[in-house]
Structures are given as structure tokens and as C-alpha cells.
Amino acid sequence: MNHDATVILIDDDPHVRLSAGQTLELEDYQVLALADARQALARISPDFAGVVVTDINMPGMNGLELLQQIKQRDPDIPVILITGFGDISMAVGAIRNGAYDFIEKPFSADLLLDVVHRALEKRALTLENRQLRQELQAQSAPGPRIIGASPAILQLRKLVHTVADTPADVLLMGETGTGKDLLARYIHEHSPRRERNFVAINCGGVPETLIESELFGHEKGAFTDARERRIGKFEHANGGTLFLDEIESMPMSLQIKLLRVLEERAIERLGSNTLIPLDLRIIAATKADLRALAETGEFREDLYYRLNVVRIDIPPLRARPQDIPMLFQHFALLASTLYEREIPPLSPERIHRLMSHDWPGNVRELRNLAERYVLLGEACTFDFDDRPITEPEPVAQGLAARVEHFEKTLIQAELARHGGSIKDTLESLQLPRKTLYDKMKKHGLDKSDYRGGPD
């Protein structure tokens, strides 16, 4: 039970608020006691994780009117009605209209706690199912995917889904090979701009003499080789998303102009004095510490702060070793389809070696290795095959935590080796089917994650 969830208690009788509030607080519930139902509405949203306990008969907005308003915001928020003498038939009718339950005055502390406990369990389950549905839709949707079930990736996915449908610019920070370009595409594909252009430019891959023209475009005759008008990346991305990779490589003179674009949302082509308004989101990515570069004068400090409104840090692969079998299987399946080759079985020892490698090249290195393995089969040597195996350390150091970590790692390895086949996995682990399912549920493992899919 999540005792951090809020119980909003509404009653115009201060004695009821005090006694019922104390009863709930003694059980460690967070209680917000209010005298006016209208004050509660400001706290209610589809993400509200608690329940509402409200009297029916109150001045101003009564409990039934509050129920109706709450159901319009989220029909699944449990609303518990407190009824007085003669209100029973009214409460029964309210339950037909979506109230969770009712309790009649005077009520015992045990009855209140029991109803609130059940309502909070229902709310927690509802929100959990919503999140699972969102993740399932995201994972089954066409286009890029955020693959993994480690705490770091779950937190990353949650943050991305929070900001994807907003207009906010985003700064992605991560080591080389962590998938910054994929994440930028993922944000675009899960935003209202998905039907418009996603335009990418590598700021370190374009000569300094050309990058301004690439971004802003130019008019005919703007410079010697400008034989005709050209639309730049900013204009081409209008209505959509512009991805600026390796932003730390952008020349200082251009950083000033980028800052102006971010603030004014308009550009002028080279050789033109006409402002062109823009409606676009900018996603910038860097492997460098921009703040440190700003402090040494190598990157504009005002541009750094302008880009750093929403910052997403992508964890390196070594920080999420439990995701490695799933990722390897995913990339191997893609390579198998591309090269029309079968995937050779990967021994538990080699999976163990994959998980103990530190992956300086991150996900890109793992993908290249998976492709090479599909092409060469058992003849494929891992660059780290001759190194001693080091166990990834679990977060907690107790015996129970280490046993749990080892059990999860072993099940992951077998699922990856058998491409998500439950039958083959339970045979190799010599487990009853129900036991395997229970352990997979406990560790948050899903067989479908080991079958790969679109990248």
C-alpha cells in the first residue's frame, strides 16, 4: 500500500474533519482536510494518486456536484461519500453514477480505514495499468524504441513521455554511442509534430564555412556560389523538429545566431532582410559537459541556459547491465532479418561476459557486436573474451539482494538465449511453468522484450 498517496477529506463540520483526519494520519496516510469542495478541484488531475472522501450535504458545492466534476476530469478517481441520516437512497444513486462507496455518520475508525485502504489499492492498480498500457503502446508503435527494463531506462522513458507532447526544447546529454539520435527521433515520433519533418544536422560534421548556410539557407547571389535560393534546415523543419547533434562543435559566431532564433522563433536567409517566422522544436545533443565549456568560455553561457530548460541524461550501457541481453537479442534479430541468417545460440557464459563488459562504445558497440555475431556465428570472437569476468555489482550489498540479482540475471540470460521462448527457458532452468512466470513477474521481465521488434 502506498501511504504517500493523498486522501482529500472534505466536510464542513470541523469536528468530523479533525477526528477523521487524525484517524487517517495515525495510519500514516497523507491527509488534506478541507471545508469547501471547490478547493479540492484544484488538486484533482488524471495523475492524482489518492482518493477523495467527501460529505454529501455542504454549503456551496455539495458532495454530489463535486463527484460529477471529478468524474469529468478522471472517471477512475475513487470518491467516497459521507452520508447523514436520510441520505442513503441518495448515496446509492451516487454509486450508480460512479461513486466508489459511502459511509454513514456516525462511522467507526475501522470502517473509514477499510474503505480508504480498498479505494487506494484500486487507484494504485488503475494508475499502474495506465502506465503499462502507455509503455506497451510506445513499445509496439512503429519507429524508434527505448529498449530496456532497468530502473535507469524506466525513469528515462517516464521523463521522455512527460515532455514529448510539450513544445519545450530539449537538451540530450550522453556519451558517444548511447543513442542520442534515436532518442531525438523517439521524442519527435511521440509528439504532436510527428506528421511534420524531423531534420537532423551534425554540427561537428559540417565545415564551419558552410554550416550557417546549411541552417539558415540563402538567397540567390548571397555569396559567390549561391546560384539559386536554398531553403535551410530551420525552414525545412518548420512545423516539426530540428535535431542539432554535437552542439558543442557549433562555432561561437553561430551560437549567437542560434540563441536569437531560440528567443525570436524567426530567421533571415543569408542575403535577405525578410524575417521568416518558425514553429519548430529544437532538440540539441552533446557528449560534452556544456556547463564546464561555458565556464571556460568555449560555449556561450546564455545559450547553455537557454537549451538547458529540459535536460535528459542518457545512461551509459555499463550503468544498466541487466538490459544487455534484451538489447543484444533485439539487435541480433534485426541483423538476422537484414542478412537472412539464423541467430546462433548464445551460451550463458558468453551472455555473462556481455553483461560484465564495460562497453566504452555503449549501445552502438553492442549493436555492432550483435551484427558481427549473426554474420560469423560461433566463429565470432568477442574482443573481451580473454578478460576475466567481473560481476556487475547490485545496488544493495546484502545476501538477499545478491541472490535476487543473480536470479534475475540468469533468467534474463536464458530468455535472451531462447528468443523469449517460455518453453525452452523453463526447460533449461528446470523450473515449473508457474514458478518461472512468478519469478518473471517479480523481476519485471516480459518475454516479448526478448523477441525484438522495430528499431
Side-chain angles (χ1 to χ4, degrees):
M1 170 57 59
N2 178 14
H3 280 199
D4 292 331
T6 301
V7 180
I8 298 180
L9 174 66
I10 311 154
D11 199 306
D12 59 322
D13 185 335
H15 300 293
V16 173
R17 289 200 307 276
L18 179 63
S19 61
Q22 287 179 341
T23 296
L24 293 164
E25 286 172 348
L26 286 171
E27 290 295 311
D28 292 332
Y29 290 115
Q30 302 291 325
V31 180
L32 175 64
L34 303 170
D36 190 333
R38 287 167 294 198
Q39 294 176 312
L41 288 174
R43 313 276 180 153
I44 301 296
S45 71
D47 295 327
F48 176 62
V51 300
V52 176
V53 182
T54 178
D55 192 17
I56 287 184
N57 290 311
M58 293 182 293
M61 178 181 286
N62 65 37
L64 298 179
E65 291 169 335
L66 176 62
L67 170 66
Q68 186 179 18
Q69 291 284 328
I70 290 174
K71 292 301 168 185
Q72 289 176 0
R73 300 187 181 194
D74 183 349
D76 295 320
I77 293 176
V79 177
I80 301 163
L81 299 174
I82 300 174
T83 68
F85 179 76
D87 291 337
I88 300 297
S89 60
M90 189 186 301
V92 171
I95 286 178
R96 293 196 191 101
N97 291 325
Y100 176 75
D101 205 345
F102 70 91
I103 50 180
E104 187 178 8
K105 293 179 182 177
F107 49 85
S108 67
D110 288 341
L111 176 61
L112 174 64
L113 292 172
D114 177 62
V115 175
V116 167
H117 178 83
R118 287 187 288 107
L120 282 170
E121 280 190 333
K122 181 177 185 292
R123 184 59 178 166
L125 185 61
T126 297
L127 293 177
E128 182 182 350
N129 287 339
R130 273 188 200 166
Q131 183 179 355
L132 289 173
R133 280 198 301 271
Q134 289 172 355
E135 290 181 8
L136 182 62
Q137 289 168 358
Q139 294 302 330
S140 60
R145 296 170 58 192
I146 302 175
I147 295 174
S150 61
I153 286 299
L154 293 178
Q155 184 178 359
L156 173 70
R157 192 181 291 132
K158 183 177 180 180
L159 176 58
V160 166
H161 288 167
T162 300
V163 303
D165 59 356
T166 72
D169 297 329
V170 177
L171 176 63
L172 305 179
M173 298 191 70
E175 297 176 6
T176 299
T178 49
K180 296 185 288 293
D181 52 346
L182 180 143
L183 189 58
R185 287 183 180 274
Y186 184 94
I187 293 170
H188 173 76
E189 292 295 334
H190 290 80
S191 77
R193 301 177 180 271
R194 66 180 68 90
E195 301 299 328
R196 306 302 293 271
N197 289 338
F198 175 86
V199 180
I201 185 169
N202 188 316
C203 300
V206 182
E208 185 172 341
T209 54
L210 297 178
I211 190 168
E212 184 174 2
S213 175
E214 281 288 313
L215 284 171
F216 289 86
H218 59 253
E219 295 290 347
K220 181 178 179 180
F223 47 86
T224 305
D225 294 328
R227 296 184 176 88
E228 57 186 26
R229 171 187 287 178
R230 181 178 179 186
I231 300 299
K233 301 295 187 184
F234 280 119
E235 273 187 87
H236 190 48
N238 203 6
T241 303
L242 177 64
F243 175 48
L244 299 174
D245 199 5
E246 296 189 22
I247 188 75
E248 72 278 6
S249 303
M250 179 172 282
M252 190 66 73
S253 60
L254 199 55
Q255 290 180 28
I256 301 170
K257 296 183 179 181
L258 174 60
L259 180 63
R260 182 180 174 189
V261 172
L262 288 170
E263 291 176 343
E264 297 181 1
R265 298 290 160 169
I267 62 160
E268 294 176 5
R269 297 191 197 107
L270 297 183
S272 170
N273 294 319
T274 304
L275 272 178
I276 301 169
L278 296 176
D279 169 27
L280 83 167
R281 162 186 255 167
I282 290 181
I283 301 178
T286 180
K287 61 180 180 293
D289 184 342
L290 291 187
R291 182 166 187 171
L293 292 179
E295 289 173 353
T296 58
E298 297 172 76
F299 194 84
R300 286 190 64 92
E301 189 173 26
D302 48 5
L303 179 57
Y304 165 68
Y305 286 115
R306 183 62 184 78
L307 289 170
N308 198 38
V309 176
V310 176
R311 170 177 159 175
I312 298 177
D313 293 280
I314 307 175
L317 191 54
R318 64 182 174 275
R320 51 187 187 110
Q322 58 267 59
D323 291 335
I324 290 171
M326 187 188 307
L327 284 163
F328 186 89
Q329 179 69 12
H330 171 73
F331 293 137
L333 280 164
L334 291 176
S336 172
T337 302
L338 177 63
Y339 301 122
E340 298 182 348
R341 297 280 184 91
E342 291 294 321
I343 304 175
L346 196 62
S347 68
E349 181 187 1
R350 299 197 94 178
I351 292 176
H352 200 45
R353 288 189 177 277
L354 288 176
M355 296 181 69
S356 62
H357 181 46
D358 58 2
W359 299 104
N362 289 294
V363 177
R364 185 181 297 148
E365 181 186 355
L366 179 65
R367 179 172 191 155
N368 292 341
L369 180 61
E371 289 187 2
R372 192 163 76 243
Y373 181 75
V374 169
L375 282 171
L376 301 179
E378 287 296 324
C380 173
T381 57
F382 295 175
D383 295 338
F384 42 86
D385 268 344
D386 56 348
R387 298 178 196 167
I389 295 177
T390 56
E391 279 288 343
E393 284 294 321
V395 176
Q397 299 300 314
L399 176 62
R402 290 174 181 269
V403 171
E404 291 280 305
H405 174 75
F406 179 75
E407 179 182 86
K408 180 178 180 179
T409 300
L410 189 59
I411 295 172
Q412 282 183 308
E414 291 304 303
L415 283 169
R417 187 159 72 100
H418 298 297
S421 167
I422 294 295
K423 180 176 179 294
D424 293 339
T425 300
L426 61 88
E427 286 178 359
S428 65
L429 292 174
Q430 299 179 16
L431 287 174
R433 182 177 293 270
K434 185 179 185 306
T435 302
L436 177 60
Y437 274 125
D438 288 345
K439 290 183 180 297
M440 287 174 62
K441 183 177 180 181
K442 177 177 70 173
H443 296 304
L445 303 177
D446 186 337
K447 62 182 181 182
S448 62
D449 288 331
Y450 298 86
R451 291 175 180 163
D455 190 14

